[in-house]
C-alpha cells in the first residue's frame, strides 16, 4: 500500500475517533447526532472519496433530513452537488449548489463549481455552433467566479486570468 494511502487511512480513522468522542461530550440534540452520523458516514468514512457515490448520496440525503443548522446543511448540500458534478449531472449539481449558497452565501467553492459548470456548458455550446448561448453561459460563469474571488481574493487564479483575458473583470 502506498504511503499516501496509509496516511489517508490513518487520518480517516483518527478523524472518526475524534468525531465520535466530540459527539459524546458536546451537548447536541438527537437529531443533530443523527445528522452528523450520516454526514460522517458519507464523507469521513470515505464512501465519496472511494467513488461509492450511491452510498455517499444515501448518507447525505439522510443527513439533510436530520440537519437543521443552515451552515452545516450547506456543506451537506454542497457535497451532494459535488457527487452530481462527478456523475455529469450538472443540472442537479447546480440545484444543490444553489441550495447550499442560500444557506451559506460565504461558500466560494460552490460559486467556483457553478462557474466551472457554466463554463463547460459554454464550451459545449461553441462546439454546437451556438455562440449566442455560449456567451450567455460564459457571462454566467463570470458572475459566479467574481463571487468566488470576491469571497477569497488570491484564490481561483486561473478563473481570475480568464476573467481578465475575456474582459469580464469589473471589480478591480
Amino acid at each position: 500500500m502506498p504511503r499516501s494511502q496509509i496516511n489517508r487511512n490513518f487520518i480517516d480513522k483518527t478523524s472518526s475517533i475524534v468525531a465520535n468522542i466530540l459527539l459524546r461530550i458536546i451537548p447536541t440534540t438527537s437529531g443533530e447526532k443523527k445528522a452528523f452520523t450520516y454526514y460522517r458516514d458519507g464523507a469521513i468514512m470515505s464512501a465519496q472519496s472511494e467513488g461509492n457515490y450511491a452510498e455517499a448520496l444515501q448518507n447525505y440525503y439522510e443527513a439533510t433530513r436530520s440537519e437543521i443548522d443552515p451552515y452545516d446543511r450547506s456543506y451537506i448540500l454542497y457535497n451532494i452537488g459535488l457527487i452530481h458534478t462527478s456523475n455529469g449531472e450538472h443540472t442537479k449539481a447546480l440545484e444543490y449548489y444553489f441550495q447550499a449558497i442560500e444557506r451559506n452565501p460565504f461558500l466560494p467553492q460552490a460559486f467556483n463549481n457553478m462557474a466551472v459548470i457554466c463554463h463547460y456548458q459554454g464550451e459545449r455550446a461553441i462546439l454546437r455552433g451556438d455562440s449566442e448561448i455560449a456567451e450567455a453561459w460564459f457571462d454566467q460563469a463570470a458572475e459566479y467566479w467574481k463571487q468566488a474571488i470576491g469571497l477569497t481574493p488570491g484564490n481561483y487564479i486561473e478563473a481570475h486570468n480568464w476573467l481578465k483575458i475575456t474582459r469580464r473583470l469589473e471589480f478591480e
Side-chain angles (χ1 to χ4, degrees):
M1 181 180 293
R3 184 167 186 76
S4 63
Q5 182 66 36
I6 292 168
N7 288 342
R8 200 173 357 203
N9 288 342
F10 173 76
I11 291 170
D12 286 346
K13 289 176 185 175
T14 303
S15 296
S16 293
I17 291 167
V18 170
N20 285 332
I21 292 168
L22 289 174
L23 198 57
R24 288 187 195 132
I25 63 172
I26 295 175
T28 55
T29 66
S30 62
E32 290 169 328
K33 286 181 183 180
K34 184 177 179 184
F36 179 77
T37 300
Y38 282 114
Y39 182 78
R40 181 197 61 214
D41 290 347
I44 296 174
M45 298 307 289
S46 301
Q48 185 174 349
S49 64
E50 291 172 2
N52 190 347
Y53 298 137
E55 180 184 340
L57 275 176
Q58 182 179 2
N59 287 322
Y60 287 136
Y61 290 143
E62 278 301 316
T64 61
R65 288 189 210 30
S66 305
E67 183 58 65
I68 57 172
D69 179 73
Y71 182 81
D72 292 342
R73 192 174 175 85
S74 73
Y75 282 94
I76 295 167
L77 294 166
Y78 169 77
N79 283 329
I80 293 171
L82 281 178
I83 292 172
H84 287 302
T85 301
S86 296
N87 289 338
E89 300 167 326
H90 297 136
T91 302
K92 278 186 180 181
L94 286 171
E95 290 172 15
Y96 281 98
Y97 293 140
F98 280 123
Q99 289 180 42
I101 287 169
E102 284 176 352
R103 287 154 182 84
N104 179 4
F106 304 103
L107 203 58
Q109 59 270 42
F111 284 113
N112 178 64
N113 290 359
M114 291 175 7
V116 169
I117 290 170
C118 291
H119 187 271
Y120 172 76
Q121 295 299 334
E123 292 289 334
R124 289 186 58 205
I126 286 174
L127 293 175
R128 289 191 311 269
D130 197 339
S131 61
E132 194 173 310
I133 295 294
E135 281 304 306
W137 279 113
F138 291 143
D139 288 343
Q140 189 60 62
E143 292 307 310
Y144 292 140
W145 269 323
K146 288 177 194 175
Q147 290 178 290
I149 293 166
L151 289 169
T152 55
N155 288 350
Y156 308 113
I157 293 169
E158 288 180 30
H160 191 265
N161 289 337
W162 179 82
L163 290 168
K164 281 183 179 178
I165 291 167
T166 61
R167 300 180 197 271
R168 288 181 167 90
L169 191 63
E170 297 169 1
F171 54 76
E172 281 194 319

